[in-house]
């Protein structure tokens, strides 16, 4: 039987946003997911001068983000791919106060992997059993679907 706990100090994650997966090839993953699961259409975002190229698609209301590190450009996503291989990189949730939520997560043993000045986005590895990377996004930025 699972024990129920109350976490008065837990952060308040206001809504789920997306699941982020690091992949070697967006195109290969898109083809595989399309052929095997019928996933699509996909919205592609090229890397430009950035470290990653992205693809987004919804499946039954859940947004999936494919993150393809650009070869030769250092990034935490390239490091993740090299260390862990393809797979789940982060879950993304919306919060009203990114900076305050980050501070609370750090106080509870979390580790900031990256953040964007202005308090609208941060990656925090939450630490502890079942640790994941949580991408915190401000509820105040516009959402594109």
């Amino acid at each position: 039987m699972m024990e129920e706990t109350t976490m008065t100090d837990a952060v308040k994650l206001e809504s789920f946003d997306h699941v982020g997966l690091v992949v070697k090839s967006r195109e290969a993953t898109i083809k595989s997911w399309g052929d095997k699961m019928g996933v699509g259409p996909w919205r592609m975002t090229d890397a430009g001068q950035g470290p990653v190229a992205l693809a987004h698609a919804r499946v039954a209301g859940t947004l999936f983000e494919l993150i393809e590190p650009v070869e030769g450009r250092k990034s935490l996503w390239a490091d993740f791919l090299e260390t862990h291989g393809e797979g789940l990189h982060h879950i993304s949730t919306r919060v009203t106060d990114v900076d305050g939520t980050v501070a609370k997560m750090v106080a509870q043993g979390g580790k900031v992997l990256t953040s964007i000045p202005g308090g609208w986005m941060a990656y925090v590895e939450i630490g502890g059993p079942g640790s994941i990377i949580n991408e915190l996004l401000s509820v105040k930025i516009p959402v594109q679907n």
Side-chain angles (χ1 to χ4, degrees):
M1 176 179 239
M2 290 190 67
E3 184 178 318
E4 204 171 304
T5 60
T6 304
M7 302 290 293
T8 57
D9 290 335
V11 299
K12 184 175 192 276
L13 303 175
E14 297 179 25
S15 64
F16 173 79
D17 194 77
H18 67 268
V19 176
L21 299 107
V22 171
V23 297
K24 292 178 185 175
S25 166
R26 292 177 305 166
E27 289 78 14
T29 303
I30 288 167
K31 180 169 179 7
S32 175
W33 284 30
D35 291 348
K36 295 176 182 178
M37 299 184 292
V39 176
W42 291 86
R43 184 184 72 212
M44 308 290 273
T45 306
D46 291 325
Q49 296 300 310
V52 295
L54 304 173
H56 295 88
R58 286 205 181 273
V59 178
T62 298
L63 182 64
F64 285 88
E65 175 179 65
L66 302 181
I67 307 162
E68 178 184 340
V70 174
E71 195 170 328
R73 295 185 190 167
K74 292 290 291 169
S75 70
L76 61 93
W77 304 278
D79 293 345
F80 182 92
L81 184 60
E82 184 177 317
T83 303
H84 303 286
E86 292 184 299
L88 177 66
H89 180 262
H90 66 270
I91 62 165
S92 180
T93 53
R94 296 266 176 184
V95 296
T96 300
D97 179 6
V98 171
D99 292 336
T101 303
V102 167
K104 198 171 211 181
M105 291 177 111
V106 167
Q108 295 173 355
K111 177 183 172 187
V112 178
L113 302 180
T114 191
S115 64
I116 293 180
W120 69 268
M121 179 274 195
Y123 277 153
V124 180
E125 188 170 11
I126 67 169
S131 183
I132 58 163
I133 297 171
N134 191 333
E135 179 183 33
L136 302 167
L137 293 174
S138 172
V139 295
K140 297 172 187 159
I141 63 172
V143 179
Q144 294 182 354
N145 290 323

